[in-house]
């Protein structure tokens, strides 16, 4: 069992930190809005720290789960940041979805202090976090990964080493590109089924047993038919992630025509006030498009 600090107690971070505590690790949490840390302590075995410095001082592993590159830089760098207050030989594990460039920069900054950095974004959404069933794709030093893997496994069903710093974030980009196309295709197919007069739930029961099967269909198909779009990962966050994909595509010369089109549909969801709806809300746009 390890001394662990978890920083960032949002819809993903709070349950992930909870699984670390359940597995018997000695967990300290920190959140910039302290009330969230105080609430976490009432529901889990562990303690909260009033400052980043206090949270990181004695930790063997520090986990972060925040919104974007700037958030990550703000909590990691500077005299009061995470890196300045970790001990040499310890490991910083970032579960945020950020750019590969940020991962590489933080890896270099950590290495200069004798600290290992792993970029370890996750997939599986809020349900995966709550059930301890996330997929974690990890970049960084392989020896550090081997040390950290049993701890990361506390909240994961799969932990996969992808390569040097930034590789985890690049893999997460592939994940989001694939998801965007899948959700749009599912939305269009279900809207088509409705317009054709088919029973949508029966359609799902039939085609989910064949080549069209996907996690999205199994878990979101029927809720999309019922116009229920409150299952965690928000449209605003998806568009942030896709923006990271587009930036990386500009650098490596990739063409992402389908993903760019789906991003436009997500923009339409935002224009209708659906910023905090989950990503399956593409169904709203698909239905309107089918009626035109």
């Amino acid at each position: 069992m390890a001394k662990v600090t978890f920083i960032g107690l949002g819809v993903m971070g709070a349950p992930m930190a909870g699984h670390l505590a359940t597995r018997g690790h000695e967990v300290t949490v920190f959140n910039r809005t302290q009330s969230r840390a105080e609430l976490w302590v009432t529901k889990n075995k562990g303690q909260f720290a009033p400052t980043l410095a206090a949270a990181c001082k004695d930790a063997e592993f520090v986990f972060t789960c925040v919104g974007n590159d700037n958030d990550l830089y703000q909590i990691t760098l500077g005299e009061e940041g995470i890196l300045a207050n970790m001990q040499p030989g310890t490991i910083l594990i970032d579960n945020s979805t950020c750019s590969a460039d940020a991962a590489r920069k933080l890896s270099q900054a950590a290495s200069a202090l004798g600290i290992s950095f792993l970029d370890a974004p996750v997939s599986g959404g809020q349900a995966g976090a709550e059930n301890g069933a996330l997929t974690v794709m990890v970049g960084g030093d392989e020896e550090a990964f081997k040390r950290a893997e049993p701890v990361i496994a506390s909240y994961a069903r799969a932990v996969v080493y992808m390569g040097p710093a930034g590789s985890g974030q690049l893999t997460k980009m592939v994940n989001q590109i694939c998801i965007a196309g899948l959700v749009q295709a599912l939305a269009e197919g279900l809207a088509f089924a409705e317009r054709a007069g088919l029973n949508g739930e029966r359609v799902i029961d039939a085609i989910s047993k064949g080549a069209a099967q996907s996690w999205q269909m199994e878990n979101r198909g029927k809720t999309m038919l019922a116009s229920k779009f409150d299952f965690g990962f928000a449209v605003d966050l998806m568009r942030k992630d896709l923006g990271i994909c587009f930036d990386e595509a500009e650098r490596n010369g990739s063409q992402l025509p389908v993903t760019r089109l789906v991003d436009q549909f997500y923009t339409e969801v935002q224009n209708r006030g659906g910023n905090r709806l989950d990503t399956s809300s593409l169904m709203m746009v698909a239905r309107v498009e089918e009626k035109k």
Side-chain angles (χ1 to χ4, degrees), residues 219-237:
N219 291 274
R220 294 290 177 268
K222 293 182 180 181
T223 58
M224 289 166 74
L225 289 170
S227 298
K228 295 179 179 178
F229 309 124
D230 57 350
F231 294 94
F233 191 66
V235 168
D236 282 351
L237 294 177

Side-chain angles (χ1 to χ4, degrees), residues 150-227:
V151 185
I152 298 172
S154 299
Y155 53 78
R157 66 177 177 183
V159 185
V160 184
Y161 179 70
M162 302 308 305
S167 299
Q169 294 296 352
L170 290 169
T171 306
K172 180 61 183 286
M173 293 176 209
V174 176
N175 186 80
Q176 301 305 73
I177 291 166
C178 293
I179 287 174
L182 281 170
V183 179
Q184 178 61 24
L186 179 59
E188 290 183 13
L190 294 179
F192 177 92
E194 289 178 334
R195 294 289 291 171
L198 295 170
N199 181 300
E201 293 199 3
R202 290 183 187 175
V203 169
I204 291 171
D205 289 340
I207 69 174
S208 64
K209 305 302 187 293
Q213 189 275 338
S214 69
W215 185 96
Q216 295 292 333
M217 182 179 292
E218 292 281 359
N219 291 274
R220 294 290 177 268
K222 293 182 180 181
T223 58
M224 289 166 74
L225 289 170
S227 298

Side-chain angles (χ1 to χ4, degrees), residues 40-122:
W40 186 91
V41 170
T42 66
K43 298 179 178 180
N44 302 275
K45 185 177 180 180
Q47 60 183 346
F48 75 88
T51 66
L52 277 172
C56 301
K57 183 175 63 174
D58 298 319
E60 300 169 68
F61 300 90
V62 175
F63 291 81
T64 54
C65 190
V66 295
N68 54 45
D69 287 15
N70 288 335
D71 290 338
L72 189 58
Y73 290 144
Q74 286 176 11
I75 63 172
T76 52
L77 303 177
E79 292 184 4
E80 300 302 318
I82 293 169
L83 289 175
N85 290 283
M86 292 178 67
Q87 301 301 314
T90 56
I91 301 177
L92 173 58
I93 302 156
D94 179 43
N95 294 131
S96 314
T97 297
C98 295
S99 69
D101 188 49
R104 296 184 190 109
K105 287 180 179 178
L106 290 177
S107 179
Q108 292 176 355
S111 179
L113 298 170
I115 299 165
S116 296
F117 175 84
L118 299 174
D119 53 293
V122 302

Side-chain angles (χ1 to χ4, degrees), residues 20-35:
L20 287 163
T22 299
R23 289 293 185 94
H25 297 293
E26 184 180 334
V27 180
T28 298
V29 296
F30 174 84
N31 197 77
R32 284 177 291 185
T33 303
Q34 185 170 304
S35 59

